[in-house]
Amino acid sequence: MTNFLPFSMPDIGEEEIAEVVDSLRSGWLTSGPKTQIFEMEFAHFLSRRVKAQEQTEPVQPLQALAVNSATSGLHLALEAMGVGPGDEVITSPYTFTATAGVIRHLGANPVFVDIDPVTLNIDPRKIERAITERTKVILPIHIGGLACEMEPIIEIARRRGLKVVEDAAHALPSTYRGHLVGTLESDATVYSFYATKAITTGEGGMIVTRDPEVANRCRVMRLHGINLDAFDRNSSTKPSWHYDVVAPGFKYNLTDLAAAIGIQQLKKAWSFQERRALMARRYNDELRDLPTILPAGAPDGDLHSWQLYILRLDHSIRITREDFIKQMARRGVGCSVHFIPLHLHPYWRETYHLQPHHFPAAWRAFERVVSLPLYTKMSDDDQTRVIEAVREVVDLAAALPQNSLIYSTACSD
Ligand SMILES: *Cc1c(COP(=O)(O)O)cnc(C)c1O
């Protein structure tokens, strides 16, 4: 197909290109001045809104630490919380594998808790019974950019002496009860700037925390366990060749080339969110009458980042999700699935002896979900095409005889 609308595309402008060229000309390619600016502006981006709100107690300032992916950031945050061999981290199976993979990197075990079938986020009511004496951290994911019920999660964590790390890969910007994700009372929040995310650096991520000890540990461990990074090394009074290795660290720093993209993307984050919200509203309005379940919106007064638009096919619709996506592709529209729950993947299934029915809400949601393209590079006409394609495929399915299984085989390519 010549005019295929891909599922996702980054929105890179001349500003990003100029900023990267500036880095290239400067000669500073790896973590340096641009990474520092990106971190400062990211912390500022989040805390600007906090200042406008009433601040009753003095709190530690937010620190933002740039890393080369959200996966690295989650790994570092959990390491800084002291998660180690045999420990347990409570999370949801309804996520990308990176969320749980990093738990295994530390020799710890994920303990999965099923989702709320409406929001697709971890069900806070099921967390408490999953806690054991080995539990260290609760790791919720804001699926698609809809914030989790953070108040009960933080309440359980505080009462049971656990830490909270938020997987905010989708949540820039999203709010929970008027507060931006990243400024809540969790111990760390981790963002992704992967190419498909609302703002991107190609590959990249950010850890945000108010805990100076967590920030210091992440800072050291993201760059070889060296207690000063390259930028400080140059402005330090110690001789430039000197450094101290204090731990067997990782190589998780963000390059200035990537940070250059991030600096310009961050400036557009609010307008990106507005555009995404507008597109989500249009999908809602124009798909409302179809046998589909629309994605849950944010409560009144809160922001949804609309990183993903996860539509669910109603059980009355006589087409499988696979055929639906195939038919959309025939009409030139790329769709995707978020997510294949972890307990259905061979590694997680076999390692923890999991079966589909162990997390029934995650399993049932997965069977019916289709993510429609929603990104700022899409025009109104592109979105019209998606909506028309959805309506056509739904009509096609409705025209089939009741209980027709012929459809599924007839359409397989
Ligand atoms: C994209 C994503 C990640 C991983 O982000 P990277 O920056 O690619 O490491 C983690 N969790 C969720 C929910 C994601 O969607």
Side-chain angles (χ1 to χ4, degrees):
M1 178 139 343
T2 48
N3 192 17
F4 192 85
L5 182 74
F7 172 68
S8 167
M9 218 196 287
D11 192 344
I12 298 294
E14 290 305 319
E15 303 83 356
E16 285 83 348
I17 292 167
E19 196 77 45
V20 172
V21 168
D22 186 60
S23 276
L24 289 167
R25 292 201 200 285
S26 80
W28 205 312
L29 304 185
T30 185
S31 307
K34 298 247 195 233
T35 304
Q36 270 210 338
I37 290 168
F38 186 35
E39 288 177 334
M40 277 163 43
E41 291 189 349
F42 199 87
H44 188 62
F45 176 92
L46 295 178
S47 44
R48 217 171 5 206
R49 289 264 298 223
V50 180
K51 287 205 192 88
Q53 292 153 357
E54 275 178 59
Q55 194 100 140
T56 45
E57 289 168 51
V59 288
Q60 296 278 1
L62 271 185
Q63 297 194 54
L65 288 98
V67 285
N68 61 4
S69 71
T71 308
S72 311
L74 289 166
H75 188 194
L76 289 175
L78 293 181
E79 200 271 346
M81 309 278 160
V83 173
D87 288 338
E88 292 174 359
V89 175
I90 291 177
T91 190
S92 145
Y94 207 81
T95 185
F96 183 58
T97 192
T99 314
V102 296
I103 299 168
R104 297 295 298 133
H105 294 175
L106 294 161
N109 297 304
V111 173
F112 297 117
V113 165
D114 207 1
I115 53 169
D116 177 315
V118 175
T119 63
L120 308 178
N121 286 332
I122 192 167
D123 187 341
R125 292 161 300 186
K126 297 195 173 131
I127 289 176
E128 192 118 30
R129 71 183 89 133
I131 296 173
T132 73
E133 69 278 6
R134 308 297 322 247
T135 310
K136 282 272 172 70
V137 174
I138 305 173
L139 175 34
I141 307 106
H142 307 293
I143 292 297
L146 175 62
C148 292
E149 272 298 319
M150 290 307 293
E151 202 167 283
I153 293 172
I154 286 164
E155 187 277 320
I156 294 166
R158 293 295 168 263
R159 187 158 42 77
R160 303 294 297 263
L162 308 175
K163 301 285 189 190
V164 177
V165 175
E166 296 167 68
D167 181 336
H170 302 167
L172 191 74
S174 301
T175 65
Y176 174 70
R177 300 199 177 169
H179 298 262
L180 272 176
V181 167
T183 67
L184 308 176
E185 282 162 51
S186 63
D187 299 279
T189 305
V190 180
Y191 295 89
S192 172
F193 309 131
Y194 181 63
T196 58
K197 302 294 157 77
I199 82 162
T200 184
T201 61
E203 299 279 0
M206 193 73 80
I207 306 167
V208 172
T209 181
R210 291 184 198 284
D211 184 332
E213 282 179 33
V214 169
N216 288 342
R217 180 69 182 175
C218 291
R219 202 170 272 124
V220 167
M221 293 306 283
R222 80 175 157 181
L223 195 67
H224 303 299
I226 293 171
N227 69 349
L228 289 170
D229 66 28
F231 190 79
D232 288 339
R233 217 152 73 216
N234 262 44
S235 56
S236 142
T237 52
K238 282 187 180 173
S240 62
W241 50 264
H242 184 272
Y243 58 90
D244 291 321
V245 173
V246 295
F250 305 103
K251 187 68 199 293
Y252 283 169
N253 57 302
L254 190 72
T255 67
D256 259 27
L257 292 176
I261 306 173
I263 288 167
Q264 294 301 328
Q265 287 270 289
L266 187 63
K267 291 187 181 159
K268 304 174 181 176
W270 290 116
S271 63
F272 282 176
Q273 190 280 338
E274 270 171 41
R275 172 74 185 144
R276 284 177 176 273
L278 207 65
M279 295 178 77
R281 204 172 316 138
R282 183 168 170 217
Y283 274 144
N284 285 344
D285 289 346
E286 299 195 30
L287 301 176
R288 196 176 297 284
D289 61 315
L290 299 182
T292 55
I293 301 162
L294 302 178
D300 274 350
D302 269 321
L303 278 183
H304 190 313
S305 74
W306 294 106
Q307 163 67 33
L308 296 172
Y309 188 89
I310 305 176
L311 190 70
R312 273 183 274 181
L313 305 180
D314 192 82
H315 285 281
S316 66
I317 205 170
R318 288 201 294 277
I319 183 168
T320 64
R321 189 261 315 279
E322 282 68 20
D323 286 337
F324 183 91
I325 291 177
K326 225 178 263 176
Q327 289 294 332
M328 290 294 286
R330 284 188 181 179
R331 287 160 179 76
V333 176
C335 293
S336 190
V337 173
H338 297 91
F339 286 90
I340 306 168
L342 300 187
H343 71 297
L344 304 183
H345 285 289
Y347 172 76
W348 300 107
R349 185 180 71 220
E350 286 159 21
T351 305
Y352 296 103
H353 311 291
L354 300 173
Q355 289 175 30
H357 70 266
H358 287 167
F359 306 103
W363 183 31
R364 266 186 236 124
F366 160 67
E367 304 248 282
R368 311 299 292 165
V369 289
V370 180
S371 300
L372 300 182
L374 191 164
Y375 46 96
T376 50
K377 284 287 257 194
M378 273 171 73
S379 66
D380 289 341
D381 287 348
D382 291 333
Q383 194 176 11
T384 303
R385 268 179 66 198
V386 179
I387 292 163
E388 280 171 1
V390 172
R391 300 195 77 92
E392 267 179 48
V393 176
V394 168
D395 285 349
L396 190 75
L400 292 166
Q402 194 91 36
N403 299 328
S404 165
L405 289 174
I406 301 161
Y407 184 74
S408 183
T409 44
C411 291
S412 54
D413 291 338

